[in-house]
Amino acid sequence: QQSADTATNIHAAATLDVSCKTHLLYMIRLKSLLIALILVLLFGCSQKENKLIGKWQFVDFYNLDIRDTVLIKQSKSLNQKYIITFDSDGQSSTDFMGKEQGDWKYDEGNHSLNITYKEGGQELLNIIELDDQNLILTYKKEDKGFIFKKISGN
């Protein structure tokens, strides 16, 4: 009787030991997966793309070839309300004479930005300069564009 109880206890202990090892392996795998996920979230976006995230306000024109100073002043005054927001989830909003929602995608290799508006339309832009506070965008086929300053965000 006593040897049967001992055998049962040894079997139960071995089963418990296997169960604990299985649980430990599961926890290690889960922890590794969580660490990998955090690293992807932190470093998955390029540094330039991370700098783009935030709210940008028009400051000036870039490479403008208009010589009429009155027209330039009027245009700058009108464009002071031009704000673009780039969210980390790829959503964008443009606020200039009405709001437009869309999606944005940054192509680091070509230094380009593609904005597709939900109500139709698309803008293909070159990024001439992008740092923590400044953004210069030109239209894809032209060397003229806009200078923005970051007003909030990363």
Side-chain angles (χ1 to χ4, degrees), residues 10 23 37 56 62 68 85 113 126 128 136 139 142:
I10 291 172
H23 182 70
L37 180 61
W56 298 87
Y62 178 78
D68 184 343
T85 304
L113 179 65
N126 291 318
I128 303 301
I136 299 176
Y139 291 103
E142 299 178 30

Side-chain angles (χ1 to χ4, degrees), residues 15-26:
T15 303
L16 183 60
D17 188 44
V18 168
S19 175
C20 286
K21 285 181 183 176
T22 303
H23 182 70
L24 181 62
L25 286 173
Y26 173 76

Side-chain angles (χ1 to χ4, degrees), residues 56-104:
W56 298 87
Q57 183 171 19
F58 170 86
V59 175
D60 205 347
F61 294 103
Y62 178 78
N63 259 0
L64 194 62
D65 59 3
I66 298 174
R67 304 289 175 235
D68 184 343
T69 58
V70 173
L71 180 59
I72 291 172
K73 284 181 183 179
Q74 288 173 343
S75 295
K76 280 184 183 180
S77 176
L78 179 65
N79 279 286
Q80 289 300 319
K81 297 177 184 174
Y82 185 8
I83 294 176
I84 301 177
T85 304
F86 300 106
D87 295 330
S88 60
D89 63 358
Q91 300 291 304
S92 68
S93 67
T94 303
D95 192 356
F96 178 68
M97 300 175 144
K99 275 197 169 191
E100 285 188 274
Q101 303 294 321
D103 300 310
W104 66 274

Side-chain angles (χ1 to χ4, degrees), residues 27-140:
M27 293 304 289
I28 290 171
R29 286 184 186 142
L30 183 61
K31 185 177 177 181
S32 298
L33 181 62
L34 286 173
I35 290 171
L37 180 61
I38 289 169
L39 289 173
V40 166
L41 290 174
L42 288 175
F43 300 106
C45 297
S46 71
Q47 291 298 323
K48 289 281 187 185
E49 190 170 330
N50 283 334
K51 288 180 181 180
L52 193 57
I53 295 168
K55 187 181 275 191
W56 298 87
Q57 183 171 19
F58 170 86
V59 175
D60 205 347
F61 294 103
Y62 178 78
N63 259 0
L64 194 62
D65 59 3
I66 298 174
R67 304 289 175 235
D68 184 343
T69 58
V70 173
L71 180 59
I72 291 172
K73 284 181 183 179
Q74 288 173 343
S75 295
K76 280 184 183 180
S77 176
L78 179 65
N79 279 286
Q80 289 300 319
K81 297 177 184 174
Y82 185 8
I83 294 176
I84 301 177
T85 304
F86 300 106
D87 295 330
S88 60
D89 63 358
Q91 300 291 304
S92 68
S93 67
T94 303
D95 192 356
F96 178 68
M97 300 175 144
K99 275 197 169 191
E100 285 188 274
Q101 303 294 321
D103 300 310
W104 66 274
K105 184 158 179 67
Y106 174 63
D107 182 346
E108 189 169 9
N110 291 324
H111 304 287
S112 64
L113 179 65
N114 183 357
I115 302 174
T116 305
Y117 295 103
K118 299 206 185 292
E119 294 183 17
Q122 183 177 31
E123 285 189 289
L124 299 172
L125 303 162
N126 291 318
I127 296 179
I128 303 301
E129 181 181 326
L130 174 60
D131 60 34
D132 292 332
Q133 296 300 314
N134 301 296
L135 171 63
I136 299 176
L137 297 174
T138 61
Y139 291 103
K140 199 69 174 160

